[in-house]
Amino acid sequence: MKFGKVDNPGEIDFTLPPDHPDTLRVLNQRGSSDFNAYVGCAKWNKKDLKGFYPRGTKDELEYYSRQFNSIELNATFYGNKGPEQSETWAEKTPDEFKFFPKVVNTISHFKRLKNIEAPLEEYLHGMRGFGDQLEMIFLQLRDDFKPKDFDRVQRLVEIWPDDIPLAIELRHTDWYNDAAVASQVYQLFEENGVANIITDTAGRRDLLHMRLTSPVAFIRYVGANHASDYDRLDDWVERLKFWKEQGLEKLYFFVHQNLEKESPMLSKHFIKAINKELGTNLDIPGEAEQGDLGL
């Protein structure tokens, strides 16, 4: 992921900002004492995750799904996938493995959420092929999608089916630095159970709004291929430990890199840390079948 890339990441202050004041209120409305964590990468392609797959690996998704418990599925962004394709992907993975597909760009980027009823129905028809392995769908809007089109976001949320969880990533800074706009968005998301995606990337620190709108933390972490990447992950572990103590029920954490080959190593570091600090019991990628990834 090149979004937010900077030339000199060592010059960036990566300190996580304080929580939005309403995040604690949302978390304290605990509906369940259960906590589940899903951690993964954005791709399973052997070319991108160079060095991750053992020599002779025949099916990359099948192998990936035995190392991680989830995938942020960006492949669905580039074109509609029918239910047969989704079923094929699901059949290659364990029953407990979860998919987090991205909404197709026809809806988000080309139509910009305008007149999307028919395209959305077609897209969701294909995604239902994942069955119970469809955990949540996420929508990413363009950097230039501004609050003047809030009514389109509202309409999407209104027509979104109740049985499929939704997360939304807003990228234009006015969604967050205009208090009135932000309040309107957060209210819409809270009332409809939409997860407010947090994006952690070097060049866009304004997207660290730290405002949860449900007891779900959906975090897209973008490493900078820099030594600071690991310290940043450790800071996230501390924040997530606090959120879990306050009532966080689900964690969805997906690791990106400008050079994706390092994503499995960062994910491994993060999984080890949350297993220790948050009490999760996620498998450590690569340890059982591949040997150490170099950490």
Side-chain angles (χ1 to χ4, degrees):
M1 180 194 281
K2 300 297 189 292
F3 179 70
K5 182 180 180 181
V6 297
D7 292 333
N8 298 302
E11 299 176 358
I12 301 295
D13 179 2
F14 284 111
T15 304
L16 289 178
D19 290 343
H20 186 284
D22 284 327
T23 288
L24 191 59
R25 173 184 56 78
V26 169
L27 291 177
N28 286 164
Q29 298 171 351
R30 183 189 294 268
S32 170
S33 59
D34 294 335
F35 176 75
N36 293 293
Y38 293 90
V39 180
C41 302
K43 303 175 182 178
W44 66 70
N45 186 284
K46 189 173 183 179
K47 181 179 179 181
D48 292 309
L49 302 184
K50 187 176 180 181
F52 176 62
Y53 294 96
R55 183 174 298 176
T57 300
K58 295 182 178 179
D59 192 303
E60 293 156 15
L61 175 58
E62 190 276 333
Y63 178 81
Y64 173 96
S65 68
R66 287 189 282 110
Q67 313 308 313
F68 293 96
N69 66 357
S70 56
I71 182 80
E72 185 196 280
L73 190 57
N74 282 274
T76 56
F77 176 72
Y78 298 102
N80 271 327
K81 310 294 181 185
E84 298 81 10
Q85 177 64 76
S86 302
E87 290 169 7
T88 297
W89 282 334
E91 288 169 357
K92 291 183 176 183
T93 63
D95 290 344
E96 63 273 14
F97 184 85
K98 300 296 185 180
F99 291 87
F100 293 76
K102 190 174 185 177
V103 171
V104 66
N105 58 15
T106 304
I107 292 170
S108 61
H109 284 47
F110 299 136
K111 283 185 165 292
R112 299 172 68 91
L113 301 189
K114 186 176 182 180
N115 299 327
I116 57 168
E117 284 78 1
L120 182 61
E121 183 177 355
E122 180 183 4
Y123 169 78
L124 292 174
H125 176 65
M127 295 304 95
R128 289 187 184 280
F130 286 115
D132 292 339
Q133 290 180 248
L134 176 61
E135 180 71 9
M136 177 175 276
I137 289 176
F138 77 100
L139 168 74
Q140 176 197 94
L141 292 168
R142 290 171 54 102
D143 306 21
D144 60 0
F145 188 95
K146 300 179 181 181
K148 67 180 181 63
D149 289 323
F150 171 78
D151 62 314
R152 299 184 188 182
V153 179
Q154 186 174 30
R155 174 60 179 163
L156 170 79
V157 171
E158 289 173 350
I159 65 175
W160 192 266
D162 293 336
D163 63 323
I164 300 180
L166 173 66
I168 295 179
E169 179 184 23
L170 299 166
R171 287 185 162 186
H172 193 281
T173 192
D174 285 353
W175 292 104
Y176 306 112
N177 63 23
D178 185 317
V181 169
S183 178
Q184 193 176 27
V185 170
Y186 299 152
Q187 181 178 353
L188 174 69
F189 286 6
E190 273 196 58
E191 291 176 350
N192 292 276
V194 176
N196 191 22
I197 291 177
I198 298 173
T199 306
D200 183 348
T201 187
R204 288 295 307 276
R205 306 311 287 164
D206 57 313
L207 297 184
L208 282 167
H209 50 74
M210 310 307 280
R211 173 57 156 98
L212 299 184
T213 50
S214 70
V216 174
F218 193 126
I219 298 158
R220 305 184 78 214
Y221 173 90
V222 187
N225 298 104
H226 186 267
S228 60
D229 291 346
Y230 292 94
D231 292 335
R232 291 168 59 194
L233 287 173
D234 292 340
D235 289 345
W236 265 115
V237 172
E238 289 302 310
R239 185 63 58 91
L240 292 165
K241 183 178 180 180
F242 173 73
W243 285 355
K244 179 175 181 285
E245 292 168 352
Q246 299 304 313
L248 186 69
E249 296 176 8
K250 292 184 178 181
L251 168 63
Y252 305 143
F253 197 98
F254 297 104
V255 176
H256 298 253
Q257 271 283 4
N258 296 321
L259 300 176
E260 291 288 1
K261 67 179 182 179
E262 295 185 21
S263 296
M265 292 185 287
L266 289 176
S267 300
K268 179 179 179 180
H269 176 89
F270 181 76
I271 289 171
K272 282 185 173 182
I274 65 169
N275 280 352
K276 179 181 178 181
E277 299 296 334
L278 276 70
T280 53
N281 189 31
L282 277 64
D283 291 338
I284 308 300
E287 286 201 347
E289 301 169 59
Q290 185 182 351
D292 202 295
L293 287 173
L295 296 181

